[in-house]
Amino acid sequence: LLTSLTVIAVVAIVSTVLDHGYFAGVELNRSLLELQLFITILTLTLLTLHAIVAEHKQSEVSLRESEQKYRALFENMVQGVFYQRSDGVLIDVNAAALDLLGLTRNQFIGATSKDPRWKVIHEDGSDYPGEQHPSMVALETGKAVRDVIAGVYNPQREGYVWLNINAIPQFRPGEDDPYQVFVTLWDITERKRIVEVLDLRAAFVMNNPAPVLQVSLGGEIIMCNPATDKLFGRGIHGEQILEMFPELEITDAAQMR
């Protein structure tokens, strides 16, 4: 830039001195003064343009770096994530979500929630229609849908994967309707399995025809089934085992679980 300005200034000065160019035809001092003003304005203009271009290039570099960081985070998240357009078309997805759903990227991109290949169920095992999926509800209402539990059939694992789903609508400035929705998927399959096992054990205890009770280390009855209450003719939850059975040693009471 400085080289260009120097060349322009030299050419303009020489031309003016030789009585050529735009500033020729008037008194030399006046011509040089006008030329100086012109070169000053030109210099300021070019410097301003240079600064604007440099700032624009730096903004592009910063934006590109930011997009690369976002993309790296998006692709490497343990949490499944995908984006769905306002018309219901799935437009982006990370590797974790594809693994949870048992699909390839080509199978996922371009599909919709109403695709017949989806096999999604509620916790009670009933069908979960596509138009009721959290992402579609978020797009329809413009409000976030959080902590929805659903089972999605994974063809690679040949079984249902249980997911905690959150759908967050996204808006463009000045618009009231979302243009897309951001969806996260947490795999809770193992947690759900553990809860189901604990529920089965609890059901076994409560439905057992034989008396079953649990006593704390302090001797308090902290759990008993209906058969136990029936045996004693009253609810004994919260009572002290040593008061009910004085003949028990403290160590015996502490071992009753």
Side-chain angles (χ1 to χ4, degrees), residues 5 8-9 36-48:
L5 287 173
I8 292 172
Q36 183 181 11
L37 179 60
F38 168 76
I39 291 175
T40 300
I41 294 173
L42 177 62
T43 301
L44 291 175
T45 301
L46 291 176
L47 287 174
T48 301

Side-chain angles (χ1 to χ4, degrees), residues 125-186:
S126 61
D127 184 53
Y128 205 147
E131 61 272 13
Q132 296 177 13
H133 290 179
S135 59
M136 296 300 290
V137 174
L139 287 171
E140 177 68 25
T141 64
K143 297 179 180 179
V145 179
R146 301 183 185 276
D147 297 323
V148 174
I149 307 301
V152 180
Y153 184 79
N154 185 312
Q156 300 299 323
R157 304 182 190 182
E158 298 183 343
Y160 279 90
V161 174
W162 288 96
L163 304 172
N164 181 302
I165 305 172
N166 292 273
I168 313 298
Q170 297 184 321
F171 302 83
R172 291 192 177 97
E175 295 185 359
D176 296 327
D177 297 324
Y179 72 99
Q180 67 179 17
V181 61
F182 172 76
V183 183
T184 61
L185 310 173
W186 281 105

Side-chain angles (χ1 to χ4, degrees), residues 80-254:
V81 178
F82 68 83
Y83 286 90
Q84 193 166 7
R85 214 163 53 199
S86 58
D87 60 0
V89 176
L90 300 163
I91 57 175
D92 204 358
V93 62
N94 70 350
L98 292 174
D99 180 62
L100 291 173
L101 301 173
L103 300 174
T104 65
R105 184 175 180 83
N106 288 337
Q107 289 174 325
F108 185 89
I109 299 298
T112 70
S113 294
K114 296 181 180 180
D115 193 304
R117 291 175 297 178
W118 293 117
K119 296 180 181 178
V120 186
I121 58 175
H122 289 284
E123 284 192 274
D124 61 5
S126 61
D127 184 53
Y128 205 147
E131 61 272 13
Q132 296 177 13
H133 290 179
S135 59
M136 296 300 290
V137 174
L139 287 171
E140 177 68 25
T141 64
K143 297 179 180 179
V145 179
R146 301 183 185 276
D147 297 323
V148 174
I149 307 301
V152 180
Y153 184 79
N154 185 312
Q156 300 299 323
R157 304 182 190 182
E158 298 183 343
Y160 279 90
V161 174
W162 288 96
L163 304 172
N164 181 302
I165 305 172
N166 292 273
I168 313 298
Q170 297 184 321
F171 302 83
R172 291 192 177 97
E175 295 185 359
D176 296 327
D177 297 324
Y179 72 99
Q180 67 179 17
V181 61
F182 172 76
V183 183
T184 61
L185 310 173
W186 281 105
D187 186 357
I188 61 167
T189 306
E190 182 62 18
R191 187 180 76 183
K192 186 173 176 60
R193 186 192 67 81
I194 292 173
V195 170
E196 289 175 348
V197 170
L198 293 176
D199 287 344
L200 285 174
R201 290 180 178 177
F204 171 77
V205 170
M206 298 309 290
N207 295 320
N208 197 320
V212 179
L213 56 86
Q214 183 177 6
V215 180
S216 71
L217 293 176
E220 180 184 356
I221 298 174
I222 57 176
M223 187 280 296
C224 57
N225 67 350
T228 304
D229 291 338
K230 183 178 180 180
L231 174 67
F232 289 94
R234 68 181 191 280
I236 62 172
H237 183 274
E239 296 188 20
Q240 289 291 322
I241 192 70
L242 292 179
E243 293 177 0
M244 298 178 62
F245 302 99
E247 66 276 11
L248 285 176
E249 297 290 339
I250 294 180
T251 54
D252 294 333

Side-chain angles (χ1 to χ4, degrees), residues 1-17:
L1 179 61
L2 292 176
T3 301
S4 300
L5 287 173
T6 301
V7 172
I8 292 172
V10 170
V11 171
I13 292 171
V14 171
S15 298
T16 301
V17 171

Side-chain angles (χ1 to χ4, degrees), residues 43-76:
T43 301
L44 291 175
T45 301
L46 291 176
L47 287 174
T48 301
L49 289 174
H50 177 72
I52 292 173
V53 171
E55 183 179 357
H56 180 68
K57 288 183 178 179
Q58 183 59 44
S59 297
E60 287 183 340
V61 171
S62 299
L63 178 60
R64 192 178 305 112
E65 291 177 349
S66 178
E67 289 175 345
Q68 290 173 347
K69 290 179 181 178
Y70 160 77
R71 194 69 198 180
L73 176 63
F74 177 76
E75 291 293 347
N76 294 288

Side-chain angles (χ1 to χ4, degrees), residues 15-31:
S15 298
T16 301
V17 171
L18 295 176
D19 200 25
H20 295 294
Y22 180 80
F23 298 98
V26 295
E27 184 184 352
L28 181 59
N29 288 338
R30 181 181 175 184
S31 297

